[in-house]
């Protein structure tokens, strides 16, 4: 066991904890460590397509919205790459996903307290010293090391989600998270089906659409949604990615929050409207020149799926919800663009009694992003959708969240934690509430 006691240890190095690393780097007398079991940082490598972008402006980088003067800003990165003027001339606020990945890797090289190939295997609590004991193992050497820390920040991210109807297709169907690695094999098939409704499904479909006339495959896109919904980017809607809306959502009853999330998917799971336009135009343009076999189907919920080993064919049983009709769809290749879900880390087993849980077995996160009983020891990144709302996975809120967490860890507001940025009000103003209202019956 190391003798040093750290102020915090962060588990997982994705954009959320990487932002925390950048923002805590200049704070004196604050000692933190960051562990990740992977060999290096590579953000969703299976979806690093050439032209895909983030759906947030470049200002929503790792640090700028908390500290515009930080040396870890994207603008500083692009200047150091000698590409400032070409980025300026490009006149596009949205970062290419590949470039964002490279930017994050650049930031990591500047941070000595980030350790890859380090898997956290267990976390326990020492009641006598009032410290968390973090057990780690080097994934290359199997050497174990034990650390002591006052606080924990969980940033282990999400894992690919496979619907129940497709659970038996593991090893046969591919998830969109590994699309690039499997693209060449997909394009050798006679027919390809993309199952899903969000941005990833659209990006995979669009990428395969580009060479459909070269390879001659049939290309299908199936979604259970009633249409191919564009994400709502209107400015007053974007104000919902604000501290005020988080406060409003957090203070709603649990059942109301769950209901709202089901009806707010367009706010964080919709498709970029420009990409929708590109897909339509590409289909139209290609059909002017040649015959292509493209099928887009909505209202199609997959209720059952199987793979025929002899014919090497997938068979999906689909339910057309509005017509209430069931039908079969066969395809040689299947891409599950079915999103991601949070998976509870096993290493938390030793401290489950220190964590707050709701009646559905989820973290009962406090407003300050802590989940422990004392509300100031264990913090979460992107694991509190059900308590803090649809802004939880939003990279545009990463600086706000980490400014908040840093204030809670240190007791000092090193970065301004905004409380009001929206023009609109989401709840009823306290001064206008009617106390003990009397409802009249209308004849």
């Amino acid at each position: 066991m190391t003798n040093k006691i750290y102020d915090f240890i962060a588990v997982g190095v994705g954009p959320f904890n990487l932002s925390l690393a950048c923002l805590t780097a200049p704070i004196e007398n604050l000692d933190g460590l960051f562990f990740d079991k992977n060999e290096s940082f590579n953000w969703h490598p299976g979806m690093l397509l050439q032209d895909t972008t983030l759906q947030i402006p470049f200002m929503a980088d790792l640090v700028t919205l908390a500290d515009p003067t930080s040396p870890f800003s994207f603008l500083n990165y692009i200047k150091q790459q000698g590409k400032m003027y070409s980025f300026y001339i490009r006149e596009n606020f949205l970062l290419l996903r590949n470039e964002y990945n490279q930017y994050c890797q650049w930031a990591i090289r500047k941070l000595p307290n980030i350790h890859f190939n380090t898997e956290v295997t267990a976390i326990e609590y020492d009641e006598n010293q009032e410290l968390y004991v973090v057990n780690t193992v080097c994934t290359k050497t199997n050497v174990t090391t034990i650390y002591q820390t006052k606080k924990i920040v969980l940033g282990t991210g999400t894992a690919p989600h496979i619907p129940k109807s497709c659970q038996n297709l593991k090893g046969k169907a591919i998830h969109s998270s590994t699309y690039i690695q499997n693209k060449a094999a997909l394009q050798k098939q006679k027919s390809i089906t993309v199952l899903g409704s969000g941005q990833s499904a659209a990006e995979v479909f669009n990428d395969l659409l580009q060479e459909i006339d070269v390879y001659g495959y049939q290309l299908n896109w199936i979604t259970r949604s009633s249409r191919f919904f564009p994400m709502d980017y209107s400015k007053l809607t974007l104000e919902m990615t604000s501290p005020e809306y988080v406060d409003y959502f957090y203070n709603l009853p649990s059942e109301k929050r769950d209901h709202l999330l089901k009806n707010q998917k367009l706010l964080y799971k919709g498709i970029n409207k420009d990409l929708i336009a590109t897909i339509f135009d590409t289909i139209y343009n290609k059909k002017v020149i040649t015959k292509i076999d493209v099928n887009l189907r909505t209202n199609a919920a997959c209720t059952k799926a199987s793979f025929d080993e002899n014919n090497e064919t997938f068979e999906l049983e689909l339910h057309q919800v509005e017509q209430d009709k069931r039908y079969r769809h066969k395809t040689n290749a299947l891409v599950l663009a079915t999103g991601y879900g949070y998976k509870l880390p096993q290493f938390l087993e030793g401290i489950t009694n220190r964590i707050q849980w709701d009646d559905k077995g989820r973290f009962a996160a406090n407003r300050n992003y802590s989940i422990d009983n004392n509300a100031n020891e264990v913090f979460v990144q992107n694991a509190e959708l059900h308590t803090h709302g649809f802004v939880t996975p939003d990279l545009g809120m990463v600086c706000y969240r980490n400014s908040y967490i840093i204030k809670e860890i240190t007791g000092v507001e090193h970065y301004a934690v905004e409380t009001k940025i929206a023009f609109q009000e989401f709840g009823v103003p306290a001064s206008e509430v009617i106390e003990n209202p009397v409802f009249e019956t209308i004849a």
Side-chain angles (χ1 to χ4, degrees):
M1 180 181 294
T2 58
N3 293 324
K4 185 172 182 177
I5 296 174
Y6 290 89
D7 294 306
F8 71 92
I9 285 178
V11 187
V13 182
F16 291 93
N17 265 349
L18 178 54
S19 167
L20 181 66
C22 293
L23 291 172
T24 53
I27 301 176
E28 295 182 0
N29 302 316
L30 180 63
D31 291 322
L33 289 176
F34 295 79
F35 297 138
D36 195 292
K37 64 181 180 181
N38 294 307
E39 187 174 351
S40 61
F41 181 96
N42 205 11
W43 193 58
H44 297 302
M47 288 297 292
L48 290 177
L49 303 171
Q50 176 181 290
D51 300 320
T52 54
T53 66
L54 300 184
Q55 297 187 67
I56 54 170
F58 73 90
M59 284 181 61
D61 59 11
L62 298 170
V63 293
T64 297
L65 293 176
D67 180 10
T69 68
S70 171
F72 292 100
S73 72
F74 175 77
L75 286 182
N76 188 36
Y77 161 75
I78 208 74
K79 180 67 174 179
Q80 290 193 20
Q81 306 309 303
K83 297 195 296 183
M84 177 68 84
Y85 282 93
S86 57
F87 180 73
Y88 160 70
I89 293 170
R90 180 172 173 258
E91 290 189 336
N92 192 328
F93 265 24
L94 303 181
L95 291 182
L96 291 167
R97 197 176 292 163
N98 272 296
E99 192 161 42
Y100 179 77
N101 192 46
Q102 294 164 11
Y103 157 62
C104 289
Q105 292 169 345
W106 165 84
I108 286 169
R109 290 193 291 270
K110 295 178 173 295
L111 294 162
N113 60 340
I114 293 182
H115 303 280
F116 288 95
N117 295 307
T118 306
E119 181 176 4
V120 172
T121 56
I123 299 178
E124 298 168 347
Y125 188 74
D126 187 324
E127 296 283 355
N128 295 325
Q129 297 190 72
E130 297 184 336
L131 295 172
Y132 288 91
V133 180
V134 179
N135 295 263
T136 70
V137 60
C138 176
T139 58
K140 285 189 172 181
T141 64
N142 286 326
V143 173
T144 60
T145 309
I146 301 174
Y147 299 86
Q148 299 177 94
T149 181
K150 301 173 185 175
K151 315 280 187 185
I152 299 288
V153 183
L154 301 175
T156 51
T158 53
H161 170 69
I162 307 297
K164 289 182 179 179
S165 61
C166 299
Q167 289 285 332
N168 61 322
L169 300 181
K170 291 181 180 178
K172 302 298 181 181
I174 72 164
H175 191 270
S176 57
S177 58
T178 61
Y179 167 67
I180 287 181
Q181 299 92 312
N182 289 280
K183 179 181 175 180
L186 285 170
Q187 291 186 306
K188 293 177 182 178
Q189 303 297 323
K190 292 181 180 180
S191 59
I192 309 169
T193 297
V194 179
L195 189 67
S197 58
Q199 181 72 10
S200 293
E203 289 175 357
V204 169
F205 181 83
N206 181 61
D207 191 59
L208 291 169
L209 183 61
Q210 303 309 308
E211 297 179 303
I212 187 173
D213 45 351
V214 175
Y215 291 92
Y217 43 71
Q218 179 193 75
L219 184 58
N220 311 286
W221 185 4
I222 297 177
T223 172
R224 66 180 176 181
S225 298
S226 59
R227 61 187 176 93
F228 297 99
F229 289 102
M231 187 175 288
D232 190 343
Y233 287 111
S234 58
K235 293 181 180 180
L236 289 177
T237 296
L238 286 175
E239 279 198 336
M240 293 172 71
T241 58
S242 64
E244 298 102 298
Y245 188 77
V246 175
D247 288 337
Y248 168 75
F249 185 90
Y250 181 83
N251 287 297
L252 292 173
S254 177
E255 61 274 12
K256 177 66 73 174
R257 295 197 301 254
D258 287 344
H259 174 76
L260 268 178
L261 284 175
K262 290 180 180 179
N263 293 280
Q264 290 181 333
K265 291 184 179 180
L266 298 187
L267 303 180
Y268 68 108
K269 288 188 175 182
I271 305 167
N272 182 295
K273 66 178 182 179
D274 292 335
L275 180 55
I276 293 175
T278 296
I279 289 171
F280 181 91
D281 291 346
T282 302
I283 295 173
Y284 184 93
N285 295 344
K286 285 186 179 294
K287 284 196 170 188
V288 168
I289 300 171
T290 187
K291 185 178 180 179
I292 58 173
D293 192 353
V294 176
N295 304 284
L296 294 88
R297 298 181 182 179
T298 57
N299 286 302
C302 182
T303 57
K304 187 178 179 181
S306 60
F307 181 74
D308 188 324
E309 296 281 357
N310 296 324
N311 297 322
E312 295 186 342
T313 302
F314 295 91
E315 183 175 291
L316 307 181
E317 290 188 11
L318 303 168
H319 179 211
Q320 212 289 359
V321 181
E322 291 180 350
Q323 292 181 317
D324 195 22
K325 291 184 178 180
R326 298 181 183 275
Y327 62 102
R328 291 186 177 88
H329 171 76
K330 292 185 178 182
T331 183
N332 297 111
L334 180 62
V335 181
L336 301 175
T338 47
Y340 299 80
Y342 186 76
K343 187 177 181 180
L344 193 67
Q346 289 187 348
F347 60 71
L348 290 180
E349 289 181 1
I351 57 170
T352 53
N353 63 326
R354 298 191 65 79
I355 293 175
Q356 298 179 145
W357 307 92
D358 69 7
D359 56 5
K360 294 183 179 180
R362 303 172 297 189
F363 295 137
N366 300 299
R367 177 60 183 87
N368 68 351
Y369 303 101
S370 66
I371 57 172
D372 63 283
N373 298 324
N374 295 326
N376 64 358
E377 297 172 1
V378 182
F379 299 86
V380 290
Q381 304 267 30
N382 192 13
E384 73 295 343
L385 186 71
H386 53 287
T387 55
H388 288 62
F390 75 95
V391 300
T392 294
D394 189 346
L395 292 177
M397 288 289 282
V398 67
C399 288
Y400 166 78
R401 178 207 297 267
N402 281 324
S403 297
Y404 207 133
I405 291 175
I406 290 169
K407 177 175 74 73
E408 296 298 304
I409 288 176
T410 64
V412 177
E413 190 176 76
H414 291 276
Y415 304 101
V417 179
E418 286 81 359
T419 58
K420 187 172 178 58
I421 62 97
F423 294 144
Q424 62 190 295
E425 292 188 59
F426 300 104
V428 179
S431 60
E432 299 178 14
V433 173
I434 300 174
E435 298 294 343
N436 302 316
V438 177
F439 295 98
E440 295 183 3
T441 302
I442 300 176

